[in-house]
Amino acid sequence: PSAWLQGEGWSSPVIRDNEDSDAFTAYGAGGLPFWVFIDAQGRVVRRSAGELDIAVLEQYLLEAGGGAAAAPAPVDYPGFRAQPTACGATAPPEPSAVDFANPEDMAIAPTEAPVATITTSCGDIVIELDPAAAPATVNSFVFLADAGYFDGTVIHRVLPGFVVQAGDPTATGTGSPGYVVPDELPAPGTVYTAGTVAMANSGPGTTGSQFFVMLADNDALPPDYTIFGLVVGSDATLQAIASVPLGTNARGEPSTPLHTVYIESVTVTR
């Protein structure tokens, strides 16, 4: 690749990756083609996966070169609501702003094998839930899904090659259902493999409604997040979500979708 770029007259520095694709992975890439736009100060201003038409590419190059301001990343649900909807879909009705009491009934037994279908703007994500591994977590997820808690919310965090995260009605990364789900952590040494569905948290005893789906195997993630399911047969949907244009959040992480991916509904079959 370096020789070809030089032959084409490319004068900018070129990174030559190693056999383990460490540079590729460091930029959060999950597939090809993958674009990383960097400004003159070396800051990542935008990442995108998949093919780009020439008008979009020109706009992104202008942003990286300082010729046009990058689109601001939303910071809350109204911000996401004001954006275009991803994958050419139509935005669903807004979610109801409600808090729930802690679910007391264990509607799903550990011996059951329920399946959750998350219908998003970019297609369905099908999850085989695992109440044997995480009974309280699965029952909370089903309780919230049956109540329509997730309907109309957004996927607020996308890191290609790592995770997509959802389950926060405020879309700020701090929202919760109003109760805490007990930690049901996996065994030490557990690897979060591609398709694993786990609960997000901000430390022990803080699990609520936010969850994430692994887009690739990751043996560096500590076993601090309850695993409660596995995605099946949803590769196209996850790839479409991972391909939306991204902006930078308040922490400087380029993970905020600039085209909004909604959760239209969550249906659980028992």
Side-chain angles (χ1 to χ4, degrees), residues 33 35 37 46 48-58 60 243 245:
W35 307 80
F37 297 89
R46 190 184 292 275
S48 182
E51 295 183 359
L52 299 176
D53 64 44
I54 190 64
V56 173
L57 177 58
E58 288 176 347
Y60 290 176
S243 299

Side-chain angles (χ1 to χ4, degrees), residues 12-236:
S12 298
V14 175
I15 294 175
R16 182 173 180 178
D17 212 346
N18 59 21
E19 293 182 355
D20 294 328
S21 301
D22 287 341
F24 186 72
T25 303
Y27 278 113
L32 293 172
F34 189 84
W35 307 80
V36 181
F37 297 89
I38 304 172
D39 66 13
Q41 287 71 47
R43 297 172 300 190
V44 174
V45 296
R46 190 184 292 275
R47 298 190 302 177
S48 182
E51 295 183 359
L52 299 176
D53 64 44
I54 190 64
V56 173
L57 177 58
E58 288 176 347
Q59 175 63 25
Y60 290 176
L61 288 172
L62 279 172
E63 293 173 1
V75 295
D76 54 16
Y77 185 81
F80 278 97
R81 196 78 191 181
Q83 296 187 146
T85 302
C87 300
T90 301
E94 297 186 26
S96 301
V98 291
D99 288 334
F100 293 92
N102 190 34
E104 297 179 357
D105 296 331
M106 299 291 279
I108 305 295
T111 54
E112 294 184 68
V115 175
T117 300
I118 303 176
T119 299
T120 78
S121 304
C122 297
D124 288 350
I125 301 173
V126 180
I127 303 171
E128 293 180 345
L129 302 176
D130 189 356
T137 302
V138 168
N139 275 275
S140 173
F141 184 84
V142 173
F143 170 78
L144 293 173
D146 288 348
Y149 176 83
F150 300 112
D151 300 357
T153 62
V154 306
I155 292 176
H156 64 274
R157 184 175 183 236
V158 176
L159 281 167
F162 184 30
V163 298
V164 297
Q165 187 169 330
D168 176 3
T170 72
T172 62
T174 62
S176 75
Y179 62 84
V180 174
V181 182
D183 292 329
E184 298 173 302
L185 303 181
T190 296
V191 174
Y192 290 80
T193 56
T196 295
V197 187
M199 298 301 294
N201 63 54
S202 56
T206 61
T207 299
S209 58
Q210 294 188 49
F211 61 93
F212 60 86
V213 178
M214 297 297 300
L215 297 177
D217 296 352
N218 190 308
D219 58 6
L221 196 64
D224 297 338
Y225 309 93
T226 299
I227 295 173
F228 69 100
L230 181 68
V231 170
V232 292
S234 307
D235 291 349

